[in-house]
Amino acid sequence: QTDYHFEYTECDSSGSRWRVAVPNADGTCTGLPDPVKGKECTFSCAAGEYLEMKNQVCSKCAAGTYSLGSGIRFDEWDDLPPGFSNVATFMDSVVGTDSSNENCNASSWIPQGNYIESSRDDCTVSLIYAVHLKKSGSVTFDYQYLDNNIFFEFFIQNDQCQDTDTSTEKWMKLTENSEWKTHTVPLNSGTNILYWRTTGILLDSKVVKPVMVRNIEIEGVAYTSECFPCKPGTFSAEPGSLSCKICPRNTYSEKGDTSCKDCNVNTHFSEEGSSKCQARLPCTAKDYFQIHTPCDDEGKTRIMYKWIEPKFCREDIKNAIQLPPSGEKKPCPPCNPGFYNNVTSSCAPCPLGTFSDGMEECQPCPAGTEPALGFEYKWWNILPANMKTSCFNVGNSKCDEMNGWDVAGDNIQSGSGGSDNDYLILNLYIPGFNNKKKNPETLCRKMRSEIILFVTSSYCSCIGSMNFLHTVSTMNNIIIEGALSGFATTLMVADGATVWTRKHLVQNSRTRRFINDVAKIYSITVTNAMDGVASYCRACALGSEQSSSSCVPCPAGHYIDKETNTCNECPPNTYLSIHQVYGKEACIPCGPGSRSNKAHSFCYSDCLFSYAPGNQTLTYNFSNLSSVASIMSGPSFTPRGTKYYHFFNISLCGNEGKKMAVCVDNVTDVTVKEVGSGLNEDVSLVETFVCQSTIIPSDGRGFRTALSSQSISLADIFLDNVGATVEPKLLDFTIESDLFPSTSKNVPDVHFFYKSSIPTSSCGTGRTTIITLRCNPLKTGQEAISVPSHCSAGTCDGCTFYFLWESAEACPLCTENDYHEIEGACKGEVKETLYVWNEPKLCVNGVPLPKKKTSPCEAIEFWLKVGAGIGAFTAVLLIALTCYFWKKNKKLEYKYSKLVMTANTKECELPAADSCAIMEGEDNEEDIVYSNKPSLLGKLKSLATKEKDNIFESVQLKSSRSQNI
């Protein structure tokens, strides 16, 4: 009988099967028993039983083992359980290179004792388990998935490698704060092949946090032919057990034990569920802590010392210290601000309308002020009335009896807890905050509510965290993670109770590795709390009527006038500073190209912008660019060759400042404009002005659909003090001229500057996004968005992103300076005037081009004719005078020349002409007559000067002979 075993055949169409004997793999024998009729296919045993195949009856599991009856469970992962297999692939192989599968040979799911974890590289690794169900069932498992650099999917296939229809999404949701999430999927009857598959996307080659899976339980198997032994640290004392029990503290068990063995408590100890005992070490100063008793009538408090429970150290060995004696009296610390010391030696809250610093009596607030209500805890003699502390652990009921935090004079410190998995909880109950709007007409000042927490740790080597939970809004902020040092933080809250928890994140550990870790809170300040106390008074602005509170906040967008102490609304296009509400200077003007919302709480771009270079004014209207635009960068590749893209959504302006750009993780259609509609509540959304997603295409890594992941915000703050500008430099940011070379100097580019308030390890002040709008009449709409040619991902340093948006809608509005007129010739006493745009046309909309105009031709005017006649007469007169004087000059020249010739023929000079003629005896009867008749102009001149005596008609020169006669 040891050479063979029994198995069932497959069920036939009638639901019957046979039990057959099968030789063992390493055995050879003859004379096997004949097949016999088996149990019906739907037969199964109850929980705690197994099917004894020899007799085909259900029998109870022996002590030290357990059974689920119709199910199987895998909760021990020291090795890979039988039936499980690992398959590692890398689907983006490059042609002509070695098989990429060789690079993933070392990749697999790794058993880690209580759980199994995925590979940490960028291989695709599948954990596979095949199970044959005779009836419908389910598979349930716990998983922890913290890093979105890994894609984690769980799916089921049949024996034909076809995906089975399930109602659950195969992509797993991320878990938070190291919590384990349970996932259940229904299974169909027949063969089911289960796949747990992970794929790493190491864009920056960083080590990722692996996916962890534990407690896999499959229901629906027809029977189990064997029972499972209890794992170490558990036991089952009676036959027929459904599960194994955990060994209590200071006991241990080995695999398959029916009871737990005791440790020698004098020298050793163990936590619950231990597989062995550990030696007790000598006690040190870190194994005890001190607390303070409440103040007595003398104003004294006693210092008490206690061992950290459970106590794991020994006092009776060498180098061990002893617990210091308790009972020393010391003066009590003062009351916390807002409280006073009454006759009962305890601290009581100041009455409403009064304040105190905690050391003196409560004083009433002066007129015109109000008490600044809140809580400020910096002395910890007793736990305040609105605080509670507790310890919580699902698997450790003894933790419920312990204090999570203990007061210690000037601080409150975390307790020890029972194990490293304990939650040490400190609850602070706040009934509400005074920033709720009760009556908009009477609210005069918006008051901020915040919690200021100062924390330090004296000893901490923990892999732990301190979480701040705001229970009303279900906000969960991790304040501290890892080794601690002194720090302070401010938390903005809305309303309701608050919780601090300290937790060690040791996976499935029931032992205390971090015994000496202590977190301390020195002060907690809560502002603007309802039913709070006051440590000081502040100026108060009262409206037309007073609400139940001591001060009525101003309406949104109103500042407090310093002189009248009343509320005034901020001027248009200004927003109220969050740091200052007093004086008109608290209203900060919005920059060019931006305007304030109705509440004056922030500025946003209204898509309008004006620029006045010289005497010209350029007006832009970007309203047609206000809808969400998208751009996908060129493909990039990981070191393994995986192709991915950077996808950007851009919400430029308008929409009353609402952030319209939405990026979604794990979506299949990244081109959907209204991404936020119809999505599952668990889908991760990023709503901002500019966001980026990493897109893995459907043809990469074997994914059937495109994946969108690692969505981040690049711009959630519009620089409202500047707005849009044409200058290439703003604050510390400069747009280099070679990023987007411009071809036109006539119309300047308009730059929109945005900031992201979330700092990163490489960008300490957050990211910056600059969107440059350039006028290009040849491009319309949102089709021409580009990134710098040498920075394909839109950024060169990972901190500053640049986008160029070319469009005709980015051109200024047209004005009368952008067109000119052309006047045509007269045709039939009518002429036409045409209007055409200046080329190139660098404007859009605005002033329309005037229509063609016709007008009659005008006749020549009378005076124009008169002027032309006078001009013609003057021209003729000038020509005539010119000819006259020219002829006159010629005659004078002739006479002068003849006179000179005559003078040269005589022997003597002209003055002696008469005597010379007589002496020669010449009888010259020739008379020379010089005529001096003046011209017409000469006569006119003579008449004007009245010199008539000097005018002669003629002068006759006669010879001497004639004179003698």
Side-chain angles (χ1 to χ4, degrees):
Q1 293 184 1
T2 60
D3 294 329
Y4 65 90
H5 63 277
F6 291 104
E7 291 184 4
Y8 278 128
T9 63
E10 294 292 333
C11 293
D12 56 23
S13 59
S14 63
S16 301
R17 58 184 173 182
W18 293 81
R19 189 202 70 176
V20 297
V22 180
N24 295 332
D26 55 351
T28 58
C29 61
T30 59
L32 294 173
D34 294 332
V36 297
K37 192 76 171 181
K39 295 285 187 181
E40 64 273 12
C41 291
T42 59
F43 172 81
S44 62
C45 294
E49 296 180 345
Y50 72 101
L51 180 63
E52 188 180 352
M53 292 293 293
K54 181 178 179 181
N55 301 321
Q56 297 193 76
V57 294
C58 293
S59 301
K60 289 186 177 182
C61 291
T65 63
Y66 73 96
S67 168
L68 300 178
S70 61
I72 51 178
R73 179 187 298 160
F74 302 96
D75 56 2
E76 191 174 355
W77 299 92
D78 295 324
D79 298 307
L80 199 63
F84 282 87
S85 61
N86 273 302
V87 176
T89 59
F90 195 87
M91 297 184 182
D92 283 344
S93 57
V94 181
V95 178
T97 62
D98 296 337
S99 175
S100 58
N101 288 343
E102 297 180 0
N103 298 328
C104 295
N105 288 339
S107 301
S108 67
W109 285 77
I110 305 170
Q112 296 288 357
N114 292 324
Y115 61 91
I116 184 171
E117 71 177 22
S118 67
S119 174
R120 296 172 181 259
D121 54 27
D122 56 354
C123 292
T124 298
V125 184
S126 299
L127 178 66
I128 306 173
Y129 184 76
V131 61
H132 188 80
L133 301 184
K134 300 303 181 182
K135 59 181 180 180
S136 299
S138 64
V139 56
T140 302
F141 60 91
D142 299 335
Y143 73 94
Q144 190 177 108
Y145 178 25
L146 301 174
D147 198 330
N148 62 2
N149 286 306
I150 291 183
F151 292 102
F152 178 35
E153 54 184 324
F154 174 74
F155 58 95
I156 304 167
Q157 292 183 345
N158 57 23
D159 54 359
Q160 302 298 320
C161 295
Q162 297 174 338
D163 289 350
T164 59
D165 295 331
T166 61
S167 59
T168 58
E169 173 65 37
K170 73 173 184 175
W171 297 102
M172 298 291 97
K173 304 291 189 298
L174 288 172
T175 58
E176 297 181 354
N177 299 330
S178 302
E179 301 294 340
W180 290 88
K181 182 177 287 189
T182 300
H183 187 66
T184 301
V185 178
L187 299 177
N188 301 324
S189 59
T191 301
N192 292 267
I193 306 175
L194 314 180
Y195 289 85
W196 292 265
R197 187 164 72 180
T198 61
T199 303
I201 306 296
L202 307 184
L203 301 183
D204 52 0
S205 301
K206 66 179 181 181
V207 178
V208 298
K209 297 178 182 178
V211 175
M212 292 176 284
V213 176
R214 69 178 184 185
N215 296 340
I216 299 176
E217 186 173 314
I218 301 174
E219 287 285 347
V221 296
Y223 65 92
T224 176
S225 59
E226 61 179 348
C227 297
F228 301 96
C230 294
K231 66 179 182 180
T234 63
F235 73 100
S236 64
E238 298 178 358
S241 296
L242 170 64
S243 60
C244 299
K245 299 179 181 179
I246 297 175
C247 287
R249 192 185 303 276
N250 290 329
T251 65
Y252 72 98
S253 69
E254 297 178 352
K255 187 174 184 178
D257 278 352
T258 59
S259 63
C260 299
K261 306 177 184 65
D262 294 330
C263 296
N264 184 350
V265 294
N266 295 324
T267 59
H268 291 76
F269 75 97
S270 70
E271 292 286 351
E272 292 182 350
S274 297
S275 60
K276 61 180 180 179
C277 298
Q278 302 181 34
R280 293 181 181 272
L281 300 177
C283 291
T284 66
K286 298 179 181 180
D287 290 307
Y288 67 86
F289 63 97
Q290 71 176 29
I291 60 173
H292 293 241
T293 62
C295 292
D296 55 20
D297 295 339
E298 300 176 358
K300 302 284 186 178
T301 179
R302 293 180 181 272
I303 308 299
M304 308 298 291
Y305 296 93
K306 292 185 178 181
W307 291 111
I308 295 176
E309 296 293 341
K311 182 183 176 184
F312 295 138
C313 65
R314 294 179 59 185
E315 304 175 68
D316 57 347
I317 58 178
K318 186 179 180 180
N319 297 328
I321 67 169
Q322 303 299 315
L323 186 68
S326 300
E328 179 185 2
K329 283 191 173 184
K330 288 186 177 181
C332 286
C335 295
N336 283 309
F339 292 81
Y340 70 100
N341 195 345
N342 59 14
V343 293
T344 61
S345 71
S346 61
C347 295
C350 287
L352 184 64
T354 63
F355 70 98
S356 172
D357 61 358
M359 298 183 182
E360 298 182 359
E361 295 293 329
C362 299
Q363 302 292 329
C365 289
T369 65
E370 61 163 349
L373 298 180
F375 296 102
E376 183 178 356
Y377 301 114
K378 59 182 180 180
W379 300 109
W380 304 92
N381 187 59
I382 61 172
L383 198 66
N386 59 344
M387 281 191 183
K388 293 182 180 180
T389 179
S390 60
C391 179
F392 173 75
N393 192 324
V394 175
N396 181 13
S397 59
K398 293 185 178 181
C399 177
D400 300 338
E401 304 172 359
M402 303 177 183
N403 283 337
W405 295 74
D406 295 302
V407 294
D410 63 345
N411 68 83
I412 182 171
Q413 58 188 14
S414 61
S416 58
S419 69
D420 289 330
N421 283 333
D422 291 342
Y423 284 87
L424 307 179
I425 302 175
L426 177 65
N427 293 76
L428 170 62
Y429 179 76
I430 307 296
F433 296 97
N434 289 326
N435 58 355
K436 285 188 175 181
K437 292 186 177 180
K438 300 179 181 178
N439 185 351
E441 297 180 357
T442 61
L443 298 179
C444 295
R445 181 166 60 205
K446 183 178 181 181
M447 303 169 67
R448 302 175 67 203
S449 301
E450 60 188 17
I451 294 180
I452 303 173
L453 179 67
F454 177 72
V455 184
T456 189
S457 177
S458 300
Y459 317 105
C460 195
S461 59
C462 60
I463 315 170
S465 69
M466 180 175 289
N467 301 333
F468 171 80
L469 305 177
H470 186 205
T471 57
V472 171
S473 63
T474 64
M475 179 177 65
N476 189 353
N477 293 334
I478 296 180
I479 303 172
I480 312 170
E481 192 171 37
L484 309 181
S485 59
F487 83 102
T489 187
T490 300
L491 307 167
M492 301 303 299
V493 294
D495 196 0
T498 55
V499 180
W500 283 274
T501 66
R502 177 174 176 266
K503 172 189 175 186
H504 290 294
L505 307 179
V506 183
Q507 307 301 335
N508 292 313
S509 174
R510 298 188 180 277
T511 62
R512 293 194 55 215
R513 295 168 51 195
F514 307 110
I515 299 174
N516 299 315
D517 288 350
V518 178
K520 297 182 179 180
I521 297 178
Y522 281 86
S523 65
I524 299 175
T525 302
V526 184
T527 67
N528 211 27
M530 292 176 60
D531 299 334
V533 294
S535 60
Y536 67 97
C537 296
R538 60 190 174 197
C540 177
L542 297 179
S544 58
E545 57 183 76
Q546 190 171 359
S547 67
S548 59
S549 65
S550 57
C551 177
V552 181
C554 284
H558 287 63
Y559 67 94
I560 301 177
D561 188 88
K562 293 181 178 179
E563 297 181 357
T564 62
N565 206 31
T566 58
C567 297
N568 296 326
E569 185 177 3
C570 284
N573 290 334
T574 63
Y575 68 98
L576 187 64
S577 170
I578 61 174
H579 304 291
Q580 169 69 17
V581 293
Y582 291 95
K584 194 174 182 178
E585 60 271 16
C587 301
I588 304 174
C590 296
S594 63
R595 60 179 300 177
S596 65
N597 61 340
K598 295 180 180 179
H600 296 280
S601 58
F602 62 87
C603 294
Y604 68 94
S605 174
D606 59 353
C607 297
L608 300 178
F609 178 74
S610 296
Y611 172 60
N615 296 327
Q616 184 183 8
T617 299
L618 300 179
T619 302
Y620 298 82
N621 188 343
F622 305 122
S623 298
N624 291 336
L625 305 179
S626 61
S627 58
V628 177
S630 303
I631 176 177
M632 181 177 289
S633 66
S636 302
F637 299 89
T638 66
R640 294 273 192 165
T642 300
K643 181 168 63 175
Y644 64 94
Y645 299 86
H646 289 299
F647 181 77
F648 302 92
N649 275 330
I650 299 175
S651 175
L652 179 69
C653 60
N655 306 303
E656 295 188 354
K658 184 179 179 181
K659 303 171 184 178
M660 301 295 291
V662 179
C663 290
V664 183
D665 283 348
N666 293 339
V667 295
T668 57
D669 186 3
V670 297
T671 63
V672 177
K673 297 302 179 184
E674 296 180 355
V675 184
S677 60
L679 292 175
N680 192 294
E681 293 181 357
D682 295 333
V683 174
S684 176
L685 295 177
V686 175
E687 298 181 85
T688 183
F689 292 115
V690 181
C691 62
Q692 171 191 298
S693 296
T694 300
I695 305 299
I696 310 296
S698 59
D699 58 348
R701 309 308 299 271
F703 297 134
R704 298 184 181 180
T705 56
L707 298 179
S708 173
S709 183
Q710 302 180 21
S711 298
I712 58 174
S713 172
L714 303 180
D716 54 18
I717 299 175
F718 180 63
L719 295 184
D720 44 25
N721 59 334
V722 177
T725 178
V726 298
E727 299 297 331
K729 184 176 181 181
L730 174 65
L731 302 178
D732 297 329
F733 312 109
T734 302
I735 305 175
E736 303 296 338
S737 58
D738 59 345
L739 284 177
F740 305 112
S742 177
T743 58
S744 174
K745 301 297 183 181
N746 297 328
V747 178
D749 297 337
V750 181
H751 312 291
F752 282 73
F753 289 82
Y754 296 89
K755 281 281 294 179
S756 172
S757 58
I758 303 175
T760 64
S761 57
S762 57
C763 309
T765 59
R767 299 179 177 93
T768 303
T769 300
I770 304 173
I771 303 174
T772 298
L773 298 183
R774 177 169 294 172
C775 174
N776 190 335
L778 302 180
K779 297 181 179 181
T780 59
Q782 303 172 352
E783 59 186 23
I785 304 178
S786 59
V787 296
S789 57
H790 57 284
C791 303
S792 60
T795 179
C796 300
D797 57 3
C799 297
T800 305
F801 290 77
Y802 301 93
F803 299 95
L804 176 64
W805 195 337
E806 296 181 272
S807 174
E809 304 295 337
C811 297
L813 299 180
C814 293
T815 65
E816 295 179 354
N817 297 327
D818 292 308
Y819 63 84
H820 60 277
E821 65 178 24
I822 300 177
E823 187 174 312
C826 288
K827 294 181 179 180
E829 297 184 355
V830 176
K831 63 179 180 179
E832 293 182 347
T833 302
L834 301 177
Y835 297 90
V836 295
W837 295 110
N838 299 334
E839 292 295 337
K841 182 187 176 183
L842 298 176
C843 66
V844 65
N845 300 327
V847 176
L849 191 67
K851 297 181 179 180
K852 179 175 63 175
K853 183 175 66 175
T854 59
S855 59
C857 296
E858 296 181 359
I860 300 178
E861 295 292 341
F862 170 76
W863 290 108
L864 182 60
K865 294 180 179 180
V866 172
I870 294 175
F873 173 78
T874 304
V876 172
L877 179 61
L878 290 175
I879 293 173
L881 290 175
T882 301
C883 295
Y884 171 77
F885 284 111
W886 178 79
K887 186 175 181 181
K888 186 77 172 180
N889 186 56
K890 284 295 185 179
K891 289 182 178 181
L892 290 175
E893 183 180 3
Y894 170 77
K895 290 181 179 181
Y896 178 76
S897 299
K898 190 172 183 181
L899 180 60
V900 171
M901 292 175 60
T902 304
N904 290 338
T905 59
K906 304 296 181 177
E907 295 181 355
C908 55
E909 298 298 328
L910 285 176
D914 292 339
S915 58
C916 181
I918 296 173
M919 289 175 61
E920 293 177 353
E922 296 179 355
D923 189 7
N924 189 0
E925 295 294 331
E926 183 178 357
D927 294 335
I928 300 176
V929 179
Y930 293 93
S931 178
N932 193 20
K933 290 183 179 180
S935 65
L936 178 61
L937 291 177
K939 291 180 179 180
L940 294 174
K941 186 176 180 181
S942 298
L943 292 173
T945 56
K946 297 181 181 181
E947 294 180 355
K948 297 180 179 180
D949 296 339
N950 296 327
I951 299 175
F952 301 93
E953 292 296 327
S954 64
V955 177
Q956 186 176 9
L957 297 178
K958 297 181 178 182
S959 65
S960 59
R961 185 178 302 174
S962 62
Q963 291 177 353
N964 293 331
I965 294 175

Coordinates of all heavy atoms in Angstrom, one line a residue, residues 18-51:
W18 N -14.5 8.1 -10.8 CA -14.0 6.9 -10.3 C -12.8 7.1 -9.4 O -12.0 8.0 -9.7 CB -13.7 5.9 -11.4 CG -14.9 5.5 -12.2 CD1 -15.5 6.2 -13.2 CD2 -15.6 4.3 -12.0 NE1 -16.6 5.5 -13.7 CE2 -16.6 4.2 -13.0 CE3 -15.4 3.1 -11.2 CZ2 -17.5 3.2 -13.1 CZ3 -16.3 2.0 -11.3 CH2 -17.3 2.1 -12.3
R19 N -12.6 6.3 -8.4 CA -11.4 6.3 -7.6 C -10.5 5.2 -8.2 O -10.9 4.1 -8.3 CB -11.7 6.0 -6.1 CG -10.5 6.2 -5.2 CD -10.6 5.4 -3.9 NE -10.5 4.0 -4.2 CZ -10.5 3.1 -3.2 NH1 -10.6 3.4 -2.0 NH2 -10.3 1.8 -3.5
V20 N -9.3 5.6 -8.5 CA -8.3 4.7 -9.1 C -7.0 4.8 -8.3 O -6.7 5.8 -7.6 CB -8.0 5.1 -10.6 CG1 -9.2 5.0 -11.5 CG2 -7.4 6.5 -10.7
A21 N -6.3 3.7 -8.3 CA -5.0 3.6 -7.7 C -3.9 4.0 -8.7 O -3.8 3.5 -9.8 CB -4.7 2.2 -7.1
V22 N -3.0 4.9 -8.2 CA -1.9 5.4 -9.1 C -0.6 5.1 -8.4 O -0.4 5.4 -7.2 CB -2.1 6.9 -9.3 CG1 -0.9 7.4 -10.2 CG2 -3.4 7.2 -9.9
P23 N 0.4 4.4 -9.2 CA 1.7 4.2 -8.5 C 2.4 5.5 -8.2 O 2.2 6.5 -8.9 CB 2.4 3.4 -9.6 CG 1.4 2.9 -10.5 CD 0.3 3.9 -10.5
N24 N 3.2 5.4 -7.2 CA 4.0 6.6 -6.8 C 5.0 6.8 -7.9 O 5.4 5.9 -8.7 CB 4.7 6.4 -5.5 CG 3.7 6.3 -4.3 OD1 2.6 6.9 -4.4 ND2 4.0 5.6 -3.3
A25 N 5.6 8.0 -8.0 CA 6.5 8.3 -9.0 C 7.7 7.5 -9.1 O 8.3 7.1 -10.1 CB 6.9 9.8 -8.9
D26 N 8.2 7.1 -7.9 CA 9.5 6.3 -7.9 C 9.2 4.9 -7.6 O 10.2 4.1 -7.2 CB 10.4 6.9 -6.8 CG 9.7 7.0 -5.4 OD1 8.5 6.7 -5.4 OD2 10.4 7.3 -4.4
G27 N 8.0 4.4 -7.7 CA 7.7 3.0 -7.4 C 7.2 2.2 -8.6 O 6.6 2.7 -9.5
T28 N 7.5 0.9 -8.6 CA 7.0 0.0 -9.6 C 6.4 -1.2 -8.9 O 7.1 -1.8 -8.1 CB 8.1 -0.4 -10.6 OG1 9.2 -1.0 -9.8 CG2 8.7 0.8 -11.4
C29 N 5.2 -1.5 -9.3 CA 4.6 -2.6 -8.6 C 3.4 -3.1 -9.5 O 3.0 -2.4 -10.5 CB 4.0 -2.3 -7.2 SG 2.8 -0.9 -7.3
T30 N 2.9 -4.3 -9.2 CA 1.8 -4.9 -10.0 C 0.7 -5.2 -9.0 O 0.9 -5.2 -7.7 CB 2.2 -6.1 -10.7 OG1 2.7 -7.1 -9.8 CG2 3.3 -5.8 -11.8
G31 N -0.5 -5.5 -9.5 CA -1.6 -5.9 -8.6 C -2.3 -4.7 -8.0 O -2.6 -4.8 -6.8
L32 N -2.4 -3.6 -8.7 CA -3.1 -2.5 -8.1 C -4.6 -2.8 -7.9 O -5.2 -3.5 -8.7 CB -3.0 -1.2 -9.1 CG -1.6 -0.7 -9.2 CD1 -1.6 0.4 -10.3 CD2 -1.1 -0.1 -7.9
P33 N -5.3 -2.2 -6.9 CA -6.7 -2.4 -6.7 C -7.5 -1.9 -7.9 O -7.1 -1.0 -8.6 CB -7.0 -1.6 -5.5 CG -5.7 -1.4 -4.8 CD -4.7 -1.3 -5.9
D34 N -8.6 -2.5 -8.2 CA -9.5 -2.2 -9.3 C -10.2 -0.8 -8.9 O -10.4 -0.5 -7.8 CB -10.5 -3.2 -9.5 CG -9.9 -4.6 -10.0 OD1 -8.8 -4.5 -10.6 OD2 -10.5 -5.6 -9.7
P35 N -10.5 -0.1 -10.0 CA -11.2 1.2 -9.8 C -12.6 0.9 -9.2 O -13.2 -0.1 -9.5 CB -11.3 1.8 -11.2 CG -10.2 1.1 -12.0 CD -10.1 -0.3 -11.4
V36 N -13.0 1.8 -8.3 CA -14.3 1.7 -7.7 C -15.0 3.1 -7.9 O -14.4 4.1 -8.2 CB -14.2 1.4 -6.2 CG1 -13.5 0.1 -6.0 CG2 -13.4 2.5 -5.5
K37 N -16.4 3.0 -7.8 CA -17.2 4.2 -8.0 C -16.8 5.2 -6.9 O -16.7 4.9 -5.7 CB -18.7 3.8 -7.8 CG -19.6 4.9 -8.3 CD -19.7 5.0 -9.8 CE -20.8 6.0 -10.2 NZ -20.9 6.1 -11.6
G38 N -16.6 6.5 -7.3 CA -16.2 7.5 -6.4 C -17.4 8.3 -5.9 O -18.5 8.2 -6.3
K39 N -17.1 9.2 -5.0 CA -18.1 10.2 -4.5 C -18.5 11.1 -5.6 O -17.8 11.4 -6.6 CB -17.5 11.0 -3.3 CG -17.2 10.2 -2.1 CD -18.4 9.7 -1.3 CE -18.1 9.0 0.0 NZ -19.3 8.6 0.7
E40 N -19.8 11.6 -5.5 CA -20.2 12.5 -6.5 C -19.3 13.8 -6.5 O -18.6 14.1 -5.5 CB -21.7 12.9 -6.2 CG -21.9 13.7 -4.9 CD -22.2 12.8 -3.8 OE1 -21.9 11.6 -3.9 OE2 -22.5 13.3 -2.7
C41 N -19.4 14.4 -7.6 CA -18.4 15.5 -7.9 C -18.6 16.7 -6.9 O -17.6 17.4 -6.6 CB -18.6 16.0 -9.3 SG -18.0 14.8 -10.6
T42 N -19.8 16.9 -6.4 CA -20.0 18.1 -5.5 C -19.8 17.7 -4.1 O -20.0 18.5 -3.2 CB -21.4 18.6 -5.7 OG1 -22.3 17.5 -5.4 CG2 -21.6 19.1 -7.1
F43 N -19.3 16.5 -3.8 CA -19.1 16.1 -2.4 C -17.9 16.8 -1.8 O -16.9 17.0 -2.5 CB -18.9 14.6 -2.4 CG -18.5 14.1 -1.0 CD1 -19.4 13.8 0.0 CD2 -17.1 13.8 -0.7 CE1 -19.1 13.4 1.2 CE2 -16.8 13.4 0.6 CZ -17.7 13.2 1.5
S44 N -18.0 17.2 -0.5 CA -16.9 17.8 0.2 C -17.1 17.6 1.6 O -18.2 17.2 2.1 CB -16.9 19.4 -0.1 OG -18.1 19.9 0.4
C45 N -16.0 17.7 2.3 CA -16.0 17.4 3.8 C -16.2 18.7 4.5 O -15.9 19.8 4.0 CB -14.6 16.8 4.2 SG -14.4 15.1 3.5
A46 N -16.6 18.7 5.8 CA -16.8 19.8 6.6 C -15.4 20.4 7.1 O -14.4 19.8 6.9 CB -17.7 19.5 7.8
A47 N -15.5 21.6 7.6 CA -14.3 22.2 8.1 C -13.7 21.4 9.3 O -14.4 20.8 10.1 CB -14.6 23.6 8.7
G48 N -12.4 21.2 9.3 CA -11.7 20.4 10.3 C -11.6 19.0 9.9 O -11.1 18.2 10.6
E49 N -12.1 18.6 8.7 CA -12.1 17.2 8.2 C -11.3 17.1 6.9 O -11.2 18.1 6.2 CB -13.5 16.7 8.0 CG -14.3 16.6 9.3 CD -15.7 16.1 9.1 OE1 -16.1 16.0 7.9 OE2 -16.4 15.7 10.1
Y50 N -11.0 15.9 6.6 CA -10.3 15.6 5.3 C -10.9 14.3 4.7 O -11.5 13.5 5.5 CB -8.8 15.5 5.4 CG -8.3 14.3 6.1 CD1 -7.8 13.2 5.3 CD2 -8.4 14.1 7.5 CE1 -7.4 12.0 6.0 CE2 -7.9 13.0 8.1 CZ -7.4 12.0 7.3 OH -7.0 10.8 7.9
L51 N -10.8 14.1 3.4 CA -11.3 12.9 2.8 C -10.3 11.8 2.8 O -9.2 12.0 2.2 CB -11.8 13.2 1.4 CG -12.4 12.0 0.6 CD1 -13.6 11.6 1.3 CD2 -12.6 12.4 -0.9

